[in-house]
Amino acid sequence: MSKLTEVLSPAGDLERLKWALHYGADAVYIGGYDYSLRANANNFSLEEIKEAVSFAHNLNKKVYVTVNIVMHNEDLENLNDYLIKLSEASIDAYIVSDLAVVKRIKELKLKPEIHISTQESTVNKEAVKFWKSLGVTRVVLGRECSKEDIKDILDNVDIELEVFIHGAMCTSYSGKCVLSNYVTQRDSNRGGCSQVCRFSFDMEDSEDFQICTKDLCMIDYIGELIDLGVSSLKIEGRMRSLYYIATVVNAYKQVVTKKLEGTLNVETLEYYKKVLRRVSNRENSVQFYDREPGVNEQYYTGRQEISNQDFLGIVIDYKDGYAYFEQRNNFKVGDVVELFGPNIEPQKFTVETFINKDGESINVASHPQEILKTKVPFEAHKNDILRLPIS
């Protein structure tokens, strides 16, 4: 089977889908209003799914739709109609976790591929062989897989594998959590996860206790995953911000591209590691890939999640040496800032002036979403992003 190396991004709504694809994602995964595990994301109507597919296909990119809740009897009643409508919308794949859904897709002879969700916690070659025997074309491995597990599967089964490379980790095995149900009566396996594992629990005669797992970051091992033959590199985060999606997708796409071109070096890798550390509000680690996670891969007490303020603005036009931008966080004349985007390497410059819509020079950009212009000593492009420098 031909192996691609795909950077796969989440998208919680149509705007973030477009930004993910613009910033380098080869494919996106999204959820509809029904049957999706991220019920708290904005998600997509059927009309929006059609628009998303059209937008992506015009760029020669793909859209996968999650139908990956654990199905109860009532969920099956309208399933056929929904699966047919997704097929008619020309999605590229269903992401599923329930055998009943695989069976329905096959019975209906629908065109999109079938990808097995990480909710199935597939971590061994025999399980992968089973899914392949049912006509599945790709398996999203459980995040608990080690390098040896991945290699063993690829050595023994000719199938596409998708591996998570970045984002939040489930404290439980993926798809097996009942803590949310028990504490908040919200079913984590049917889209209602309340992230109880992020809670702080009161303990007698001690500090508050947490069972929160640090985030996943696999940037040091992207080259290894490509060499192993992993088909798709998956980023977590359908509820993440536009800035987070653009930054993380761009970082991994740059690393993947340079690896495939043979130009990836230590300096580039170190730079993008700093980028990823800055954009996250939690610490990260490699988790299961190179060893069993231990005390350093989890929070127990004293966790802090600080909101990122690096996002300064979005370029909406560039004319006569000036970038016109929509402001997002405060910065001022004299600040050194950085511009990055899918068409340029990150570059720094010092802000000399701001000019507002009335043609007045001002010293501080302090009003969110105000349109300003500033002189930039190199060409900028629409939808490039201004941020604080990564150092």
Side-chain angles (χ1 to χ4, degrees):
M1 179 177 292
S2 175
K3 302 293 183 184
L4 62 156
T5 303
E6 171 187 270
V7 175
L8 176 58
S9 173
D13 57 31
L14 200 52
E15 181 185 28
R16 280 175 280 188
L17 177 141
K18 292 177 180 180
W19 276 82
L21 295 175
H22 178 64
Y23 268 79
D26 302 294
V28 291
Y29 63 99
I30 65 176
Y33 289 161
D34 302 308
Y35 306 109
S36 170
L37 274 171
R38 289 294 177 266
N40 291 329
N42 289 343
N43 291 324
F44 290 70
S45 67
L46 278 166
E47 287 305 311
E48 288 172 327
I49 290 173
K50 292 176 185 177
E51 183 178 345
V53 170
S54 176
F55 183 87
H57 286 182
N58 284 337
L59 298 173
N60 198 29
K61 298 185 178 187
K62 297 182 178 181
V63 175
Y64 311 140
V65 177
T66 56
V67 190
N68 61 342
I69 66 168
V70 173
M71 297 282 171
H72 290 215
N73 287 331
E74 62 268 25
D75 298 315
L76 298 172
E77 293 177 7
N78 299 312
L79 179 62
N80 283 15
D81 182 57
Y82 185 64
L83 293 173
I84 291 168
K85 286 178 179 176
L86 289 179
S87 180
E88 290 172 346
S90 298
I91 70 167
D92 297 283
Y94 306 100
I95 304 174
V96 309
S97 65
D98 198 309
L99 272 168
V101 183
V102 177
K103 184 172 183 288
R104 293 287 182 89
I105 294 168
K106 287 299 179 182
E107 288 173 347
L108 294 167
K109 296 181 171 57
L110 300 176
K111 293 180 180 179
E113 294 182 358
I114 303 173
H115 297 176
I116 295 300
S117 171
T118 191
Q119 293 305 116
E120 261 299 324
S121 295
T122 306
V123 295
N124 66 75
K125 60 189 174 189
E126 296 304 325
V128 175
K129 287 177 182 176
F130 169 75
W131 291 119
K132 183 180 178 181
S133 73
L134 298 181
V136 167
T137 55
R138 179 185 294 184
V139 173
V140 187
L141 293 180
R143 279 168 272 199
E144 300 79 22
C145 280
S146 66
K147 175 183 176 180
E148 288 72 26
D149 294 329
I150 297 169
K151 185 177 186 306
D152 188 43
I153 293 168
L154 286 167
D155 285 345
N156 288 280
V157 193
D158 186 19
I159 195 171
E160 290 184 3
L161 293 186
E162 185 173 302
V163 172
F164 275 94
I165 58 169
H166 198 87
M169 292 287 292
C170 187
T171 298
S172 175
Y173 268 85
S174 301
K176 305 295 186 287
C177 180
V178 295
L179 191 59
S180 178
N181 308 51
Y182 182 78
V183 176
T184 67
Q185 296 185 335
R186 286 169 50 181
D187 193 337
S188 55
N189 302 309
R190 301 180 76 201
C193 178
S194 56
Q195 296 189 324
V196 173
C197 53
R198 305 287 183 202
F199 291 7
S200 291
F201 295 93
D202 294 332
M203 305 291 287
E204 291 185 8
D205 302 320
S206 70
E207 295 182 67
D208 291 350
F209 183 75
Q210 304 166 25
I211 54 173
C212 176
T213 304
K214 293 181 181 179
D215 283 1
L216 175 68
C217 180
M218 289 285 289
I219 193 165
D220 281 323
Y221 296 94
I222 295 303
E224 279 192 13
L225 291 170
I226 291 172
D227 290 340
L228 283 171
V230 170
S231 298
S232 183
L233 306 172
K234 186 171 193 171
I235 297 163
E236 180 275 338
R238 274 191 276 160
M239 294 188 288
R240 298 281 195 166
S241 69
L242 178 156
Y243 175 68
Y244 179 93
I245 293 295
T247 302
V248 174
V249 167
N250 178 256
Y252 278 106
K253 184 61 176 180
Q254 293 292 333
V255 170
V256 168
T257 299
K258 292 180 188 301
K259 163 64 180 176
L260 295 175
E261 292 173 347
T263 60
L264 184 61
N265 55 40
V266 173
E267 290 76 17
T268 299
L269 200 57
E270 286 301 315
Y271 172 79
Y272 283 110
K273 284 166 69 174
K274 292 177 183 177
V275 169
L276 295 176
R277 281 197 295 268
R278 282 279 289 272
V279 77
S280 179
N281 61 354
R282 286 191 292 268
E283 296 177 64
N284 56 51
S285 76
V286 179
Q287 297 294 346
F288 289 86
Y289 181 77
D290 62 345
R291 64 186 180 279
E292 284 290 317
V295 66
N296 295 321
E297 280 70 47
Q298 183 170 319
Y299 295 104
Y300 295 95
T301 58
R303 181 176 104 252
Q304 291 186 334
E305 297 185 3
I306 301 171
S307 177
N308 182 283
Q309 302 296 316
D310 288 355
F311 184 20
L312 303 179
I314 300 171
V315 175
I316 57 177
D317 199 3
Y318 180 80
K319 292 187 295 188
D320 302 323
Y322 284 87
Y324 295 73
F325 68 95
E326 182 183 276
Q327 188 264 4
R328 292 303 174 93
N329 278 300
N330 287 12
F331 63 119
K332 63 185 185 301
V333 170
D335 285 349
V336 177
V337 300
E338 185 171 77
L339 190 74
F340 81 102
N343 302 306
I344 61 170
E345 292 286 338
Q347 296 186 65
K348 300 175 186 177
F349 68 96
T350 301
V351 178
E352 296 181 1
T353 186
F354 295 120
I355 300 173
N356 65 20
K357 61 182 177 59
D358 297 320
E360 302 167 332
S361 291
I362 59 175
N363 291 323
V364 181
S366 58
H367 301 291
Q369 296 187 293
E370 182 180 13
I371 304 302
L372 300 169
K373 71 176 183 178
T374 189
K375 193 171 184 179
V376 179
F378 48 83
E379 185 178 5
H381 308 85
K382 183 179 179 180
N383 292 330
D384 286 350
I385 288 177
L386 286 164
R387 68 182 173 201
L388 293 178
I390 306 298
S391 58

